[in-house]
């Protein structure tokens, strides 16, 4: 148990860890002030017995002393409880918030391969369910367990001042209670692993169902597809019920042990009093202590079963934070390639798991020139672009920018040189203006409008009800494909990076939008280094160099006219495209 508690505190950042430690320290005082009630009862009982045995009047001084102790106990307990609760609440929720931000920042510097191996559902589960446990359940459970231990320990400690024999009985009950508590934690170990796995699967399935709802409805698979989702949800329900069923019998035994400990203290106290080895005042105090100890034990024991789930959640979040990033310790503001931003790849090799995608490619992309990359589907075009921009690290070989190995560049400094326009554009649930100025919070509206005009999207934006302040749906769901592409280009124009990567940016655009989109791309790529993946003839034929990729290797390289004379892959590719364009119904 203490190992789990230590791991939880280590997971918290320094500031919030101090809050928890201070909450525990205040908890010690809270337990002490709560235990003062024993002293108040003892003073009152001794006064009563003294007055009865001596036949004297009951001293008002005793009443006021007992009342004063009770007042100090109650007031101080309220104050310490309030401060302790505030500290643990702040520590929990702020840890949750900071860890979410920390995970998000950490994900920025992970290789893109991580996101292929780990589903969106797992990351979402960690940043939602797991962090909710840390921020809500974990803090309460940890503090209740700690407070239960502290209260029990202090009550047993104070009992030693009255009668060491009763203290030993209480200590034996405390140890037995902790053994039963350990049995409970062990019993839920396997189920808690299953519960965390089931929670992740549930999030994955819900996201998959929502994201693919259009296809599900189009193929009339609503019932069968929902059946899979229902099965995942039902499994979560069954695991939660199974966990409760495992806990309930042991929890009942735990509660029985706590009650029997109280009964044992009562019986022993009465026995010692009847044998004239304990004063009646001490006997009454011990009877009251038996109830207090029972309450303290149960308060901590009831939450301890959650520690295992919390521990797994903390480990899952920490596992993401422990993943090695692609960054190195250099200044983010450093300049790369002061004289030239020429890109070179030297005999680079890259594999997904055991499948080799890029197999010994060497190429040079001159600065301020346009390079087109073409090839069959699955040949490695997009992967090559991702390696050049260091979305992944090569397995062997070297990629350099401006004569510097990209592995030796700070990630932020490296990314400042690249702008991307992908085939599938993602826009955020925010205003159009903020989507265009993404990453530039204080960008002036004039600069945003200028970028929108260059990207040929100013007219359709101003026709919207709120213009640039129109909030678009997540992923840009309320806009057409061409409109999303032009906003993406406006975003790239705002960034004004020297290298532009276009990954089939015009592939899914209708003919009505294509002309405006091509004009936007032309404006974007002025005086820039352009790397484009494209399938359309008019997009690639005017490139300064064309690189043909086939099966992870460079099959052909040159200008349009040179490659056409070779009558190879590129010539066949162009011929098939011409036939596709000329085909009419």
């Amino acid at each position: 148990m203490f190992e789990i508690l230590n791991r939880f505190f280590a997971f918290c950042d320094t500031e919030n860890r101090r809050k928890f430690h201070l909450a525990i320290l205040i908890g010690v005082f809270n337990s002490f002030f709560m235990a003062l009630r024993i002293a108040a009862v003892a003073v009152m009982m001794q006064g009563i017995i003294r007055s009865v045995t001596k036949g004297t009047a009951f001293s008002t001084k005793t009443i006021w002393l007992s009342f004063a102790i009770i007042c100090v106990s109650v007031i101080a307990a309220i104050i310490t409880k309030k401060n302790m609760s505030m500290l643990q609440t702040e520590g929990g929720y702020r840890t949750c918030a900071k860890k979410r931000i920390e995970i998000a920042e950490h994900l920025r510097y992970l290789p893109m391969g991580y996101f292929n191996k780990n589903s969106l559902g797992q990351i979402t589960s960690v940043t939602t369910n797991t962090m909710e446990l840390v921020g809500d359940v974990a803090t309460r459970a940890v503090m209740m367990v700690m407070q239960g231990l502290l209260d029990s320990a202090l009550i047993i400690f104070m009992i030693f001042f009255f009668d060491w024999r009763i203290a030993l009985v209480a200590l034996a009950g405390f140890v037995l209670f902790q053994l039963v508590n350990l049995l409970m934690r062990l019993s839920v170990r396997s189920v808690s692993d299953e519960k965390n796995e089931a929670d992740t699967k549930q999030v994955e399935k819900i996201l998959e169902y929502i994201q693919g709802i259009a296809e599900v409805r189009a193929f009339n698979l609503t019932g069968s597809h929902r059946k899979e989702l229902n099965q995942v949800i039902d499994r979560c329900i069954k695991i939660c019920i199974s966990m409760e069923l495992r806990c309930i019998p042991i929890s009942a035994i735990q509660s029985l042990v706590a009650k029997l400990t109280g009964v044992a203290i009562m019986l022993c106290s009465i026995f010692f009093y009847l044998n004239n080895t304990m004063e009646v005042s001490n006997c009454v105090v011990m009877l009251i202590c038996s109830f207090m100890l029972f309450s303290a034990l149960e308060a901590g024991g009831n939450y301890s079963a959650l520690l295992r789930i919390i521990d797994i959640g903390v480990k899952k979040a920490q596992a993401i934070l422990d993943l090695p990033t692609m960054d190195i310790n250099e200044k983010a503001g450093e300049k790369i390639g002061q004289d030239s931003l020429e890109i070179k790849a030297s005999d680079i090799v890259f594999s997904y798991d055991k499948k080799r995608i890029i197999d010994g490619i060497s190429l040079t992309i001159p600065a301020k020139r346009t390079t087109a990359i073409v090839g069959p589907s699955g040949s490695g075009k997009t992967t090559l672009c991702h390696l050049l921009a260091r979305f992944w690290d090569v397995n062997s070989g070297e990629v350099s920018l401006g004569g510097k190995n990209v592995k030796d560049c700070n990630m932020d400094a490296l990314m400042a040189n690249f702008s991307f326009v992908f085939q599938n554009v993602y826009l955020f649930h925010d205003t159009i203006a903020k989507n265009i100025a993404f990453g530039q919070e204080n960008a002036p509206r004039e600069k945003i409008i200028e970028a929108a005009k260059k990207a040929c999207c100013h007219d359709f934006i101003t026709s919207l009800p709120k213009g640039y302040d129109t909030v678009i749906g997540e992923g840009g769901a309320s806009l057409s494909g061409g409109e999303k592409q032009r906003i993406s280009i406006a975003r790239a124009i705002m960034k004004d990076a020297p290298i532009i990567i276009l990954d089939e940016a015009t592939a899914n655009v209708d003919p009505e939008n294509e002309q405006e989109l091509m004009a936007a791309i032309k404006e974007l790529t002025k005086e820039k280094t352009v790397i484009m993946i494209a399938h359309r003839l008019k997009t690639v034929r005017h490139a300064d160099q064309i690189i043909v990729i086939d099966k992870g290797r460079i099959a052909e390289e040159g200008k349009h006219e040179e490659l056409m004379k070779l009558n190879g892959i590129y010539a066949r590719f162009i011929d098939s495209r011409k036939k596709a364009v000329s085909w009419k119904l």
Side-chain angles (χ1 to χ4, degrees), residues 88-89 93 133-145 303:
Q88 72 186 51
T89 302
Y93 285 116
L133 275 173
V134 172
D136 190 5
V137 180
T139 51
R140 285 187 173 86
V142 168
M143 295 311 298
M144 287 299 293
V145 170
Y303 283 89

Side-chain angles (χ1 to χ4, degrees), residues 324-581:
T325 63
M326 298 171 66
D327 207 4
I328 66 169
N329 296 321
E330 291 192 18
K331 294 180 181 178
E334 66 169 338
K335 299 293 183 182
I336 299 173
Q338 296 280 358
D339 301 322
S340 170
L341 284 175
E342 182 180 75
I343 302 172
K344 280 190 176 182
S346 304
D347 196 26
I348 59 174
V349 174
F350 178 77
S351 302
Y352 289 130
D353 295 325
K354 296 181 180 180
K355 184 181 179 182
R356 181 164 290 192
I357 306 300
I358 301 298
D359 189 10
I361 287 180
S362 296
L363 57 83
T364 299
I365 297 175
K368 297 185 179 180
R369 296 289 186 271
T370 298
T371 299
I373 300 176
V374 300
S377 179
S379 59
K381 304 184 296 296
T382 298
T383 301
L384 176 60
C385 288
H386 286 169
L387 292 172
L388 296 178
R390 208 192 171 197
F391 277 18
W392 292 292
D393 275 333
V394 296
N395 299 135
S396 62
E398 180 182 304
V399 176
S400 63
L401 175 63
K404 186 170 187 177
N405 191 327
V406 294
K407 290 184 179 180
D408 297 330
C409 300
N410 175 276
M411 185 61 73
D412 291 332
L414 180 66
M415 285 297 106
N417 294 286
F418 289 90
S419 283
F420 305 88
V421 180
F422 297 110
Q423 178 181 352
N424 298 315
V425 177
Y426 188 87
L427 300 178
F428 296 91
H429 182 69
D430 209 332
T431 65
I432 289 177
K434 288 186 177 180
N435 268 283
I436 293 174
F438 183 68
Q440 303 177 50
E441 294 182 7
N442 300 319
R445 180 58 64 94
E446 295 77 19
K447 189 177 178 183
I448 295 171
I449 293 172
E450 182 185 353
K453 286 180 177 178
K454 289 180 179 179
C456 303
C457 56
H458 175 72
D459 290 340
F460 89 77
I461 292 173
T462 53
S463 67
L464 296 171
K466 295 183 180 180
Y468 284 86
D469 294 318
T470 301
V471 176
I472 56 179
E474 185 177 352
S478 57
L479 301 176
S480 70
E483 289 169 343
K484 288 193 289 185
Q485 285 286 12
R486 278 178 278 162
I487 288 177
S488 176
I489 291 170
R491 180 191 288 170
I493 290 172
M494 277 287 291
K495 187 176 181 182
D496 194 28
I499 303 170
I500 311 294
I501 295 181
L502 304 170
D503 189 351
E504 299 191 40
T506 63
N508 295 329
V509 178
D510 53 79
E512 290 79 6
N513 283 315
E514 186 176 3
Q515 186 174 356
E516 288 185 331
L517 188 59
M518 293 303 296
I521 290 174
K522 185 177 180 181
E523 187 65 36
L524 169 66
T525 56
K526 281 182 180 177
E527 296 298 311
K528 307 286 187 183
T529 303
V530 181
I531 305 170
M532 63 168 66
I533 299 172
H535 289 150
R536 302 191 181 192
L537 172 59
K538 57 186 173 183
T539 308
V540 301
R541 71 179 303 161
H542 299 299
D544 296 299
Q545 69 170 345
I546 300 169
I547 297 172
V548 183
I549 305 294
D550 185 36
K551 297 179 181 178
R553 293 176 174 270
I554 295 179
E556 297 171 357
E557 186 175 0
K559 292 191 174 183
H560 173 74
E561 294 78 10
E562 297 169 349
L563 295 177
M564 289 301 292
K565 291 176 183 178
L566 294 176
N567 199 27
I569 294 175
Y570 180 78
R572 292 194 295 273
F573 166 75
I574 295 299
D575 184 56
S576 65
R577 291 294 162 184
K578 283 181 178 178
K579 289 178 180 178
V581 171

Side-chain angles (χ1 to χ4, degrees), residues 188-226:
V188 300
R189 174 175 290 180
S190 60
V191 183
S192 55
D193 288 335
E194 290 179 21
K195 184 183 184 303
N196 276 279
E197 181 189 351
D199 286 342
T200 300
K201 292 291 183 186
Q202 181 175 243
V203 173
E204 286 177 6
K205 208 63 181 176
I206 291 171
L207 284 171
E208 178 188 307
Y209 185 81
I210 293 170
Q211 291 171 344
I213 192 65
E215 285 75 12
V216 170
R217 293 182 66 181
F219 287 91
N220 197 28
L221 296 174
T222 308
S224 60
H225 207 73
R226 193 175 61 196

